[in-house]
Amino acid sequence: MPLFRDEEYLKVDFDEKQEKDEALWVKCKSCSKLIFKKKLQENNHICPNCGAYFFLTAKERIKSLIDRETFVDETKRIESDDPLNFNDAKPYKERLEEAQKETEMFDSIIVGRGEVEEHLLVIAVMDFRFIGGSMGSVVGEQIASGIELAAEEGLPFVLISSSGGARMQEGLLSLMQMVKTTSAREILTHKQLPFVSVMTYPTTAGVEASIASLGDVTLAEKGALIGFAGRKVIEETIGEELPANFQSSKFAYEQGIVDAVVDRDNLKPELAKVLEFF
Ligand SMILES: [Zn+2]
């Protein structure tokens, strides 16, 4: 499907200034302190007062991980159709348009190639602002095509998840993306290319239950929320109270779901170390 946006829209500008009309201060959800936005950015979007992690947009994540001047956008110019003509609080088409406008993305993922401390790779980065980073048919296709690109070029594939799961507005088509991405992942196995999955806040439901859990190495960013169903749903189902650290990155590490929990500041060198190893 041809698209309407400028081909240049995804250029990652490492020197980009903050939008002029945005608020200068943000309130930390964890400690309620007001933080000067510039200070927060300089601190890698971690609260300087209490250490709480603010989630990164896909572009911010790329800037924090990929070497300057090396990122090449490979996101396919496709956007979701509305096969179910879905309408909840508002029509899905409207939701899509709003998210596209807010994020300047076609959907909740950016795929590209670049370097991490001079290691070439293909990377796919999800953006939670776009309908909760949910995986519909476009996201599934972008992940699969990113994997195919990595396979063609003989490069490692890295997925940075930040997703609430499958996109309910596409129903069964969204659930099929779990199968699609899982099958695509096998191409890397056949080509003996590494797949590194990085779970960030949040990696849940259909994404956690498929592609995000299939890394050769799985890293979790500190502060990540990792799990399938939400705490409330589970507690109501099993009639038990869950431990306080349930679904935290540390909990996922203790249960063997992830291989390491990494601070945001150390994520780039840690990723480079893993790629170096392979
Ligand atoms: Zn704070």
Side-chain angles (χ1 to χ4, degrees), residues 29-46:
K29 278 189 194 127
S30 180
C31 68
S32 301
K33 276 247 163 86
L34 282 175
I35 316 161
F36 192 41
K37 210 159 187 180
K38 201 163 165 256
K39 188 121 202 207
L40 186 66
Q41 282 174 336
E42 283 166 4
N43 203 35
N44 226 344
H45 297 264
I46 300 166

Side-chain angles (χ1 to χ4, degrees), residues 108-109 126 132-136 139-140 143 159-167 174-175 177-178 181-182 195 197-200 202-214 226-228:
S108 62
I109 195 164
M126 304 178 96
S134 52
M135 179 165 72
V139 170
I143 292 173
L159 172 68
I160 315 287
S161 301
S162 178
S163 174
R167 186 172 296 168
S174 285
L175 296 180
Q177 306 314 309
M178 296 170 72
T181 52
T182 300
F195 167 36
S197 173
V198 181
M199 298 182 174
T200 73
T203 299
T204 54
V207 170
E208 192 259 355
S210 63
I211 186 71
S213 290
L214 295 170
I226 297 163
F228 186 68

Side-chain angles (χ1 to χ4, degrees), residues 36 52 97 99 155 158 186 203 210 222 277:
F36 192 41
E97 271 165 31
L155 296 174
V158 174
E186 285 304 298
T203 299
S210 63
K222 193 179 152 192
F277 170 79

Side-chain angles (χ1 to χ4, degrees), residues 13-143:
D13 180 357
F14 282 76
D15 298 315
E16 197 173 24
K17 297 276 179 299
Q18 195 54 33
E19 301 297 318
K20 322 102 219 154
D21 52 349
E22 260 187 54
L24 286 175
W25 298 84
V26 283
K27 194 174 177 184
C28 175
K29 278 189 194 127
S30 180
C31 68
S32 301
K33 276 247 163 86
L34 282 175
I35 316 161
F36 192 41
K37 210 159 187 180
K38 201 163 165 256
K39 188 121 202 207
L40 186 66
Q41 282 174 336
E42 283 166 4
N43 203 35
N44 226 344
H45 297 264
I46 300 166
C47 174
N49 184 51
C50 73
Y53 278 47
F54 287 65
F55 71 78
L56 298 183
T57 67
K59 270 191 182 181
E60 285 164 347
R61 183 65 75 178
I62 289 166
K63 282 191 217 177
S64 79
L65 291 179
I66 301 293
D67 300 346
R68 282 181 82 98
E69 312 290 333
T70 66
F71 184 75
V72 180
D73 175 34
E74 299 280 0
T75 316
K76 283 173 116 179
R77 269 59 189 163
I78 51 173
E79 63 178 329
S80 275
D81 213 340
D82 183 12
L84 304 179
N85 203 8
F86 199 90
N87 193 344
D88 48 293
K90 62 175 90 157
Y92 178 39
K93 276 236 156 79
E94 212 175 286
R95 230 177 248 288
L96 276 173
E97 271 165 31
E98 281 173 13
Q100 286 174 332
K101 211 164 151 199
E102 190 205 333
T103 60
E104 297 184 305
M105 293 165 66
F106 292 136
D107 211 298
S108 62
I109 195 164
I110 295 177
V111 179
R113 65 177 102 197
E115 294 176 27
V116 172
E117 294 186 2
E118 298 180 6
H119 296 284
L120 280 162
L121 51 75
V122 173
I123 190 166
V125 186
M126 304 178 96
D127 195 313
F128 191 68
R129 294 171 306 158
F130 198 110
I131 317 185
S134 52
M135 179 165 72
S137 43
V138 167
V139 170
E141 173 62 19
Q142 302 285 18
I143 292 173

